[in-house]
Amino acid sequence: MTPEPQFLTGPDDRTPAPPPGCPAHGIGPGGLHRLHEAPDLGALYEQLREQYGPVAPVLLHDDVPMWVVLGHAENLHMVRTPSQFTRDSRVWTPLEDGMVEPDHPLMPHIAWQPICSHAEGDEHKRLRGAVTAAMETIDQRGLRRNIGRATQLLVNRFCETGRADLVDQFAEHLPMAVMCEVLGMPEEYNDRIVQAARDMLKGTETAIASNEYIMDCLRRLVARRRARPDDDFTSHLINHPAGLSDDEVGQHLRLVLIAAYEATANLLANTIRRVLTDPGFRAQLNGGQMTVPQAVEQSLWDEPPFSTILGYFAKQETELGGRRIRAGDGLLLGIAPANVDPRVRPDRSADMQGNRSHLAFGGGPHECPGQDIGRAVADVGVDKLLMRLPDIRLDCDEEELRRTESIASQHLVELPVRFTPRPQQDVMSQPSHTPMPVPQPRTAWEIGTVKADAERAGAPSSEDGGSSVQQAGTARRRPPLPWTPPPVPTPPAGTGETAGHSRPQGVWQRFVRWWRGY
């Protein structure tokens, strides 16, 4: 008798494997779903939620077992309990047992690295403290000015043509331009570094070479800033009291650059697509019922840049979502399924404006430290784009938009748009300092302005036969006071008040004139 397949992470309710030749798609040993073969991960997550609850067993490439955490509360518990769950993959049982080969497709996401997102305890405090402190030195106003200039430069490239692909020509370029400026290497920003970042994230045959190109840029940056510090993220990271080595600085720069690039490119593309394809969404923006930051936050709920994060690992036997989790089990942080958990969001169509309890940036000790940069890039980028091209519209049917989907994220392949061609703008022009005409002072301080305006224009007042409109607009006259207020004292000599530059009337005199209806 052949024993039934054993799932290493040990759910109590195992389903028998399908018989040989079964046409069931994406089903592996134990009747478990292979995430990488699912045609629609969103639909699969809902199926798993219905079948298993907030924590479900699944399979990765090469039938490596994993838990996917679907519940909002369960995900928060996992990321906020470092005593039970770690991001150090070296404790992962399939890795220790040799099930995960060095060339496993997900190894770049899972392999341990000496960076803060994989560290724990004092080492995590040292590395994370340096990154957080460097982030806090970023001038937010200056950052938004840089984002605005970069946006205008990118729009200048295609604004005269009347057509563009906002993925290839905008969403994948703006985050890289901004991050190169933040890190202190604006001269490195060009099409080549954007292509390298795209390539290494896709895991192509040239991904290793692309990663090396980016690391070479970062090593040169570290060497320059060691010799000549500046007021940028890299210099502050180098000079932090934690004393990071050149290798540690380079690895953290790569982490910040690529994570910010990938997440923000997806966030930009998703938000713009929503504006172009959802008339109600755009109407709320145009009508002022929703601001661009609120639109971005809604996108973070509905289409988070990363749908899952690989991964967390159990340090001890524990329980999560009613499932027994063994020491060494691996778990996926399920951002997308947690954001639509019916227990926290029973109506998926409801507006989530002002609510930042989504998991788009993770949580706990490893919550994304650069999330404010991502929000700023999306806020300013979308706002400036819509201001420059107010009649922008989708240049294809919405059903024709294509996406590439992986376990970690979804990417829009392209976003073709059409708009009225417009001239380029000078992105370096400064605000005008030309003095504006100064309005003449009023003859009287008053609540209503109809009578004073009529007097300046030489028109008859209501008392001299003025129009009924003027009479209606003039404040009701008060009865005269039974006494005359004291005169305003003449200012003493030497106060600098000369003819034509008299002091404005005092509060008491203005009140008297208002009371009399002047």
Side-chain angles (χ1 to χ4, degrees), residues 188-199:
E188 297 287 359
Y189 167 67
N190 51 36
D191 292 343
R192 176 70 181 89
I193 196 169
V194 173
Q195 292 166 0
R198 291 176 185 168
D199 188 57

Side-chain angles (χ1 to χ4, degrees), residues 118-287:
H118 291 168
E120 286 191 288
D122 292 339
E123 184 66 2
H124 176 262
K125 291 180 181 178
R126 181 179 78 90
L127 298 174
R128 174 72 181 223
V131 173
T132 302
M135 285 287 179
E136 291 173 350
T137 65
I138 297 174
D139 175 13
Q140 293 300 316
R141 290 188 178 182
L143 172 66
R144 287 181 173 267
R145 286 194 297 270
N146 290 334
I147 298 169
R149 284 195 292 267
T151 299
Q152 302 289 29
L153 283 169
L154 289 172
V155 175
N156 277 351
R157 292 184 180 183
F158 55 76
C159 64
E160 296 175 307
T161 66
R163 306 180 74 172
D165 174 7
L166 292 184
V167 170
D168 180 65
Q169 296 176 264
F170 186 73
E172 292 189 340
H173 277 262
L174 181 58
M176 184 60 73
V178 172
M179 290 309 302
C180 284
E181 184 76 32
V182 167
L183 297 188
M185 55 175 196
E187 70 283 352
E188 297 287 359
Y189 167 67
N190 51 36
D191 292 343
R192 176 70 181 89
I193 196 169
V194 173
Q195 292 166 0
R198 291 176 185 168
D199 188 57
M200 63 174 288
L201 289 168
K202 292 177 181 176
T204 64
E205 294 180 356
T206 56
I208 294 178
S210 295
N211 179 70
E212 185 57 31
Y213 174 83
I214 290 177
M215 285 305 303
D216 186 54
C217 294
L218 297 176
R219 292 189 196 102
R220 293 198 303 269
L221 172 63
V222 173
R224 288 198 303 272
R225 290 297 177 259
R226 283 283 188 196
R228 298 185 302 277
D230 204 343
D231 186 18
D232 53 41
F233 178 87
T234 301
S235 298
H236 290 292
L237 188 62
I238 290 172
N239 295 323
H240 190 270
L244 274 64
S245 67
D246 283 0
D247 183 58
E248 288 176 329
V249 172
Q251 290 297 331
H252 282 88
L253 291 179
R254 176 186 177 277
L255 172 67
V256 170
L257 177 66
I258 298 304
Y261 168 76
E262 168 79 346
T264 310
N266 285 346
L267 177 58
L268 269 172
N270 291 339
T271 304
I272 296 171
R273 181 204 61 78
R274 181 77 178 271
V275 171
L276 297 178
T277 59
D278 187 337
F281 198 75
R282 187 161 188 170
Q284 283 185 295
L285 274 177
N286 293 339

Side-chain angles (χ1 to χ4, degrees), residues 71-87:
H72 190 276
E74 288 73 20
N75 274 291
L76 279 179
H77 175 77
M78 178 175 68
V79 301
R80 292 176 175 176
T81 316
S83 61
Q84 296 178 348
F85 302 97
T86 177
R87 294 213 63 199

Side-chain angles (χ1 to χ4, degrees), residues 11-78:
D12 298 326
D13 53 341
R14 299 186 181 90
T15 304
C22 176
H25 179 73
I27 303 297
L32 301 177
H33 288 272
R34 297 185 175 106
L35 288 186
H36 57 288
E37 294 182 358
D40 184 346
L41 277 173
L44 176 58
Y45 290 144
E46 292 312 303
Q47 179 182 340
L48 292 173
R49 197 194 309 271
E50 182 70 22
Q51 182 177 357
Y52 294 102
V55 180
V58 293
L59 298 172
L60 303 180
H61 301 73
D62 299 336
D63 289 341
V64 174
M66 202 83 170
W67 295 100
V68 58
V69 186
L70 307 169
H72 190 276
E74 288 73 20
N75 274 291
L76 279 179
H77 175 77
M78 178 175 68

